[in-house]
Amino acid sequence: MTLDPTDWTAFRQQAHVMLDDMLDYQQHLRQRPTWQPLPSAKQPFFQQDSPLEPQDLPQVHQEFLDHILPYTIGNPHPGFMGWVHGGGTPVGMLAEMLAGGLNVNAGGRHQAPIQLERQLLAWIRQWFEFPPQASGLFVTGTSMANLIGVWVAQRARLGPCLRAQGLAGQTQRALVAYASAGAHGCIAQALDLSGLGTQALHLIPMNDQFQMDPGALRARVRADRAAGLEPFLVVGTAGSVDVGAVDDLADLAALCAQEGLWFHVDGAFGALGCLSPQLAPRFRGIQRADSIAFDFHKWGQVPYDAGFILVREDTLQRQAFATPAAYLRRDTRGAAAGSPWPCDYGPDLSRGFRALKTWFTLKVYGTRALGEMMAHTCTLAQQLGALIAAQPRLELLAPITLNIVCFRFRCPDPNTVNAQLLIELQESGLALPSSTTLKGQFALRAALVNHRTTLQDLEILVAAVLRLGMKLAPKPD
Ligand SMILES: *Cc1c(COP(=O)(O)O)cnc(C)c1O
């Protein structure tokens, strides 16, 4: 019994309809609200019994159009500025379809998709000036990539016995790691998952540019050593999630070299800025990292999900994960050739073909245009900063380093008013910023990651914030 169509002609027609629907969606995004809440009347749709009987494909597709498509968070929309989400592209969408058609399992073996992943690794090495023996792996996202970075650093420090004996077998002093107080929460989570615990991550205060304070880091490393702890890892942030700050990576690299520490960079969205000659100088020092975690699905606009971990020393990444198994026997010829395989570089065995949509995106747009697009979002951020500065009722809450703008409406009780304003703004469908808290101040946060966003979208945002702000708090403070 096969699951293939009995009538391929009808199926083909329906397939073209579905493709056209999605192309229409992408072409006419602007005519939709940025976001709209899922109406409660739609809830029963999500509470049905498991389908025992078959249903026609066109009918299921119609349900998708009615109940799912209109109610995503909206990150492809030009008005979306929430969190740090990429917009995706029509090219990436097509590549996803091709990958789905091939149904590749890219865990390993002798096949072109693995070669393509190695080709991408070679390009990525060049971008970050990493040596030929550097290894890398596509993963879900930077949360996983950071976790792999921490695992490799930990295993490199503690040696191979860790894998058999676990932390219980350790007689060494307790390991500690360092990151900026503005580091993403997944760094602490990575310390947790590595068994070292979140308390093994020492958060270093930031300077007024929201960068990790290098003096404070040096002092803390020395103090920890004196207290009998064993520093092993510094995580630099290249594009902080709150405000887009970039740590002084060259300085962190120098400190790590002096102190014998692993230097990992969380470059989730920022690292790809190296593709822009204009932005690259801000990431100086990233070339000296021991490992870099970053996403193609944010600034790179590759459809979700596509994260990457790059490690300077292939052997260290492989020693951290490779696990022999009889059913994963390698050969020099035949389908099981081509060792080492991607599954030797991380915890996943079966994995999808993330390299394909990334390859299509890089090839079709070229890295020059992608770099220009990223630099353009930074220009837009400066323009938004200027629009805010021109309005006495608005104020910036952090310097604009890259493409993230934190600001608020000025009024009495600004934390309460701006939180309310944000919800009403999101529900208006006009624009979708998110929020963060900076030094106790609630901030509206516009992360300009989407390649579709224009100056016009920023003007819509500012006008809407002013209108809602005046409604909620007519009098200035
Ligand atoms: C988005 C982000 C992450 C997490 O990446 P995911 O791809 O969402 O897992 C980590 N660090 C920073 C700085 C980020 O912006």
Side-chain angles (χ1 to χ4, degrees), residues 84 141-143 146 184 186 237 239-241 266 268-269 295 297-298:
V84 180
T142 294
S143 302
N146 280 327
H184 194 276
C186 68
T237 297
S240 71
V241 63
D266 175 0
F269 74 90
D295 280 323
H297 58 218
K298 290 179 173 175

Side-chain angles (χ1 to χ4, degrees), residues 370-384:
L370 291 172
E372 284 168 1
M373 172 271 298
M374 292 180 236
H376 176 66
T377 62
C378 295
T379 305
L380 284 176
Q382 295 299 334
Q383 289 173 329
L384 177 56

Side-chain angles (χ1 to χ4, degrees), residues 424-435:
E424 292 194 21
L425 177 57
Q426 291 176 342
E427 288 178 347
S428 76
L430 290 170
L432 201 156
S434 57
S435 69

Side-chain angles (χ1 to χ4, degrees), residues 5-16:
T6 40
D7 179 352
W8 276 97
T9 308
F11 187 88
R12 188 179 295 262
Q13 266 168 8
Q14 174 61 19
H16 288 298

